[in-house]
């Protein structure tokens, strides 16, 4: 009889170190000055409402296989090394447009102001690769409410930092930089839409969108814009980078749907990194109960 030794990532959730023990260990390390983690990362408790139907992706895979075109539009691996010049501190995020309280927030203020939590989310790229990640963040709605959006604010536009001298990919590809994305107001206010500053209990690595990004788990990954510096309330649908580059292939909504093929490939199956194990794609990436009521079925 063959005895199969489970891989590390096959660990069942109940076999993991209980969170209280884990947090205590972190707190002890912090007290002894042995931890580089900021306070928010140490105290963000897991929100148990969000469960997975698959193991958490190994950290080395989720942080070593990326799409970050500003670093390199042609490669997914080795992006950390290309981010060495990318300065993520100091960092500000501007809230602007159709709102009563436009303002610029320092990242340190954001880190102090909001109730950070950890959420296990499935994440699905339009290219079919998928992962499951513990993100640390807080609902975008809390940040948006600070700016007191006007009734005329129907959409939200997001813009990534524009630093061609620090991000080598920006000089490689003639894209209409900086990267820009958008959501409808109800999508932006949906409790699932997460402003994210960490993963795996640590600050976001640069290649994953440090210091602050969006995670929109029911949409293809390109909607989850990285390294955000500007959030603008608009009255009409904002253009998005991928839609501008190829409107046939990348719609504004980009909701995950196994029955709606990409013009060049089926979306019925996804592949889990790093093994590329195949799994059926789930409608809205499995988040139907949270988001289906926002759509009438003709958004794309
Ligand atoms: N944001 C910016 N600014 N630039 C990018 O190239 N790539 C997008 C999205 N956000 C991208 C971005 C795409 S295509 C995907 S699939 C995800 O980031 C990948 O996130 P990850 O590298 O953390 O897995």
């Amino acid at each position: 009889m063959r005895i199969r030794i489970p891989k590390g990532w096959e660990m069942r959730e109940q076999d993991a170190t209980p969170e209280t023990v884990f947090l205590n260990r972190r707190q002890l390390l912090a007290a002894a000055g042995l931890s580089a983690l900021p306070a928010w990362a140490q105290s963000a408790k897991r929100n148990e409402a969000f469960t997975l139907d698959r193991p958490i992706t190994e950290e080395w895979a989720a942080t070593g296989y990326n799409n970050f075109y500003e670093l390199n539009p042609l490669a997914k691996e080795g992006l950390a090394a290309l981010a060495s010049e990318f300065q993520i501190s100091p960092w500000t995020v501007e809230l602007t447009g159709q709102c009563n309280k436009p303002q610029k927030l320092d990242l340190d203020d954001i880190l102090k102001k909001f109730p950070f939590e950890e959420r296990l989310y499935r994440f699905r790229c339009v290219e079919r690769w998928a992962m499951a990640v513990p993100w640390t963040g807080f609902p975008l709605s809390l940040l948006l409410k600070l700016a007191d959006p006007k009734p005329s604010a129907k959409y939200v536009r997001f813009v990534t930092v524009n630093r061609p001298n620090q991000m080598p990919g920006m000089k490689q590809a003639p894209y209409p930089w900086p990267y820009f994305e958008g959501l409808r107001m109800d999508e932006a206010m949906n409790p699932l839409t997460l402003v994210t500053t960490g993963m795996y209990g640590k600050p976001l690595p640069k290649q994953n969108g440090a210091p602050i990004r969006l995670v929109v788990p029911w949409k293809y990954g390109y909607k989850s814009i990285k390294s955000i510096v500007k959030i603008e309330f608009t009255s009409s649908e904002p253009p998005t980078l991928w839609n501008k580059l190829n409107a046939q292939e990348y719609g504004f909504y980009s909701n995950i749907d196994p029955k709606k093929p990409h013009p060049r490939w089926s979306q019925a199956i996804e592949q889990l990194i790093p093994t590329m194990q195949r799994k059926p794609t789930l409608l809205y990436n499995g988040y139907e109960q949270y988001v289906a009521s926002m759509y009438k079925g003709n958004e794309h």
Side-chain angles (χ1 to χ4, degrees):
M1 192 173 91
R2 274 183 62 207
I3 297 176
R4 190 173 159 275
I5 301 170
K7 303 245 175 14
W9 49 263
E10 290 178 309
M11 186 170 69
R12 293 170 309 165
E13 205 139 334
Q14 64 263 38
D15 293 338
T17 306
E19 189 181 50
T20 44
V21 176
F22 183 56
L23 289 177
N24 286 343
R25 189 173 62 87
R26 281 186 186 170
Q27 279 150 7
L28 285 173
L29 286 173
L34 295 173
S35 170
L37 295 179
W40 63 265
Q42 293 167 55
S43 58
K45 288 195 83 169
R46 183 172 293 175
N47 182 336
E48 302 292 346
F50 301 99
T51 53
L52 296 173
D53 58 346
R54 59 197 67 186
I56 295 175
T57 303
E58 289 164 279
E59 184 179 347
W60 64 265
T63 60
Y65 188 87
N66 303 98
N67 273 335
F68 202 166
Y69 283 63
E70 289 90 326
L71 294 176
N72 187 340
L74 302 173
K76 298 194 193 307
E77 290 168 276
L79 299 192
L82 298 175
S84 59
E85 298 295 316
F86 177 29
Q87 299 300 317
I88 54 168
S89 175
W91 193 274
T92 53
V93 178
E94 183 182 8
L95 296 168
T96 182
Q98 305 287 316
C99 59
N100 294 313
K101 294 183 187 156
Q103 55 192 286
K104 267 192 178 170
L105 285 152
D106 200 80
L107 186 74
D108 293 335
D109 295 335
I110 294 176
L111 294 179
K112 282 185 216 133
K113 228 183 208 47
F114 294 99
F116 281 83
E117 59 182 79
E118 182 175 78
R119 294 189 184 183
L120 304 180
Y121 274 173
R122 288 177 289 272
F123 187 96
R124 167 66 150 80
C125 177
V126 72
E127 298 161 335
R128 281 205 297 237
W129 58 267
M131 59 183 183
V133 169
W135 302 106
T136 310
F138 62 90
L140 173 67
S141 63
L142 301 179
L143 183 61
L144 299 186
K145 281 178 195 157
L146 267 192
D148 189 14
K150 293 180 177 169
S152 55
K154 305 285 186 221
Y155 293 85
V156 189
R157 173 175 178 260
F158 305 88
V159 186
T160 294
V161 74
N162 190 8
R163 306 239 187 100
N165 290 332
Q166 296 180 11
M167 305 172 102
M170 295 184 78
K171 292 182 178 169
Q172 247 173 294
Y175 289 170
W177 306 115
Y179 197 100
F180 49 104
E181 254 305 333
L183 293 173
R184 206 170 60 191
M185 196 65 179
D186 57 341
E187 299 178 319
M189 300 300 276
N190 188 288
L192 275 188
T193 307
L194 207 65
V195 175
T196 304
T197 58
M199 62 198 293
Y200 298 91
K202 301 171 195 165
L204 278 178
K206 291 180 186 174
Q207 67 274 19
N208 288 91
I212 185 164
R213 71 176 294 176
L214 222 55
V215 177
V216 192
W218 73 96
K219 292 178 179 282
Y220 290 118
Y222 56 86
K223 300 292 290 183
S224 292
I225 183 172
K226 296 176 169 181
S227 307
I228 298 168
V229 289
K230 189 170 170 181
I231 299 177
E232 182 183 357
F233 298 97
T234 63
S235 50
S236 53
E237 188 182 289
T240 63
L241 182 134
W242 286 105
N243 185 255
K244 240 194 157 61
L245 288 174
N246 191 337
Q248 293 303 312
E249 300 194 350
Y250 308 106
F252 176 80
Y253 286 96
S254 303
N255 292 324
I256 296 168
D257 183 347
K259 295 211 178 97
K260 204 178 283 168
H262 183 277
R264 289 183 281 136
W265 57 81
S266 159
Q267 291 291 22
I269 291 292
E270 63 191 26
Q271 295 186 279
L272 305 184
I273 60 166
T275 58
M276 294 302 173
Q277 182 198 343
R278 292 157 68 87
K279 270 198 160 267
T281 302
L282 304 171
L283 180 61
Y284 299 116
N285 207 18
Y287 295 103
E288 198 171 352
Q289 67 175 113
Y290 297 95
V291 302
S293 63
M294 294 192 294
Y295 306 111
K296 295 187 182 75
N298 55 355
E299 289 85 355
H300 53 272

